[in-house]
Amino acid sequence: GENVEQHPSTLSVQEGDSAVIKCTYSDSASNYFPWYKQELGKRPQLIIDIRSNVGEKKDQRIAVTLNKTAKHFSLHITETQPEDSAVYFCAARGDKIIFGKGTRLHILP
Amino acid sequence: GAVVSQHPSWVICKSGTSVKIECRSLDFQATTMFWYRQFPKQSLMLMATSNEGSKATYEQGVEKDKFLINHASLTLSTLTVTSAHPEDSSFYICSASSPRSNQETQYFGPGTRLLVL
């Protein structure tokens, strides 16, 4: 079946440094790629998304890049802050949305 | 905008009882709602897609007689876990697509934590 791979599963970054999370997808019909942030015990919150007709999108410290040919997309967080600590999920939507397994991001003081 | 609520937020029940979870879109009409299950430190597993006025579409491996889904109105979908057993204990989250976001973006409810004793 269709699949979304997400790496790494855990990421520790010094406060102020950048964090990068990568995802690959298998369904070539996927055309929408959201990223969600989930804090402990809370609901996933959409932080940024990108559609297949765009290669890059930025929103303040967060950016997402998409390479449709290679079927991978990445989340970039710059100038990381303690409140960025959470689990991040990528997803790809073709006929249906499929989530990656998540990346637990730790921002070290 | 695009607020989704869920009730109850947590429930503890005895094995064999049925539990109903409600998912509501508060400020928009959601023709499609989704039900997910999430185990500790794991990803979101789509259980079913709920369409208003029609039968839900269940993912492979999800028992439709075990997890009854009803989407009777544009703002309410319910998930009933029938004859719950300890292995059904999990975090159940619903989401809804907002027509303001081209029906693609999903907004999640706060989740319901179910513990079956």
Side-chain angles (χ1 to χ4, degrees):
Chain A
E2 304 302 345
N3 191 37
V4 173
E5 297 280 345
Q6 183 171 348
H7 298 282
S9 57
T10 305
L11 177 62
S12 295
V13 173
Q14 208 71 41
E15 182 179 349
D17 289 349
S18 297
V20 180
I21 302 170
K22 298 181 179 181
C23 288
T24 59
Y25 60 97
S26 58
D27 183 2
S28 55
S30 296
N31 56 11
Y32 174 66
F33 308 89
W35 285 88
Y36 287 87
K37 174 184 180 181
Q38 187 178 27
E39 297 178 40
L40 189 63
K42 296 188 177 180
R43 76 185 81 193
Q45 298 267 21
L46 178 72
I47 54 173
I48 195 167
D49 57 11
I50 191 168
R51 290 178 170 80
S52 58
N53 57 346
V54 175
E56 184 174 353
K57 184 177 178 181
K58 190 174 182 180
D59 182 4
Q60 299 182 333
R61 296 188 297 109
I62 296 173
V64 58
T65 59
L66 170 65
N67 183 329
K68 280 218 75 178
T69 304
K71 288 194 275 189
H72 66 70
F73 55 113
S74 301
L75 177 72
H76 304 253
I77 306 174
T78 59
E79 300 172 27
T80 53
Q81 300 169 3
E83 54 265 34
D84 295 331
S85 294
V87 178
Y88 291 80
F89 292 99
C90 66
R93 181 181 175 119
D95 288 338
K96 61 183 180 183
I97 194 164
I98 300 174
F99 285 83
K101 291 189 182 301
T103 296
R104 190 168 298 275
L105 175 63
H106 300 277
I107 305 302
L108 306 172
Chain B
V3 178
V4 177
S5 72
Q6 241 179 283
H7 178 81
S9 56
W10 59 270
V11 59
I12 301 173
C13 68
K14 292 182 179 179
S15 186
T17 59
S18 293
V19 176
K20 180 186 280 189
I21 302 170
E22 292 185 348
C23 178
R24 294 182 186 270
S25 55
L26 298 185
D27 56 352
F28 65 98
Q29 294 183 330
T31 54
T32 304
M33 289 184 171
F34 306 86
W35 286 96
Y36 294 85
R37 187 172 178 177
Q38 187 177 33
F39 291 103
K41 298 186 178 181
Q42 293 193 27
S43 189
L44 299 156
M45 185 192 81
L46 180 64
M47 299 174 65
T49 302
S50 168
N51 295 296
E52 187 267 338
S54 63
K55 291 183 178 180
T57 302
Y58 289 80
E59 295 300 303
Q60 192 173 9
V62 179
E63 299 175 58
K64 58 181 68 177
D65 295 330
K66 172 76 173 174
F67 300 99
L68 299 178
I69 291 173
N70 183 277
H71 194 156
S73 77
L74 287 171
T75 59
L76 173 64
S77 176
T78 61
L79 167 68
T80 301
V81 183
T82 62
S83 187
H85 288 94
E87 58 266 29
D88 298 324
S89 299
S90 190
F91 191 52
Y92 292 88
I93 310 179
C94 71
S95 72
S97 296
S98 167
R100 292 176 231 168
S101 60
N102 300 317
Q103 297 285 350
E104 290 178 314
T105 303
Q106 291 186 29
Y107 296 91
F108 285 87
T112 297
R113 198 164 297 280
L114 171 63
L115 177 61
V116 185
L117 302 177

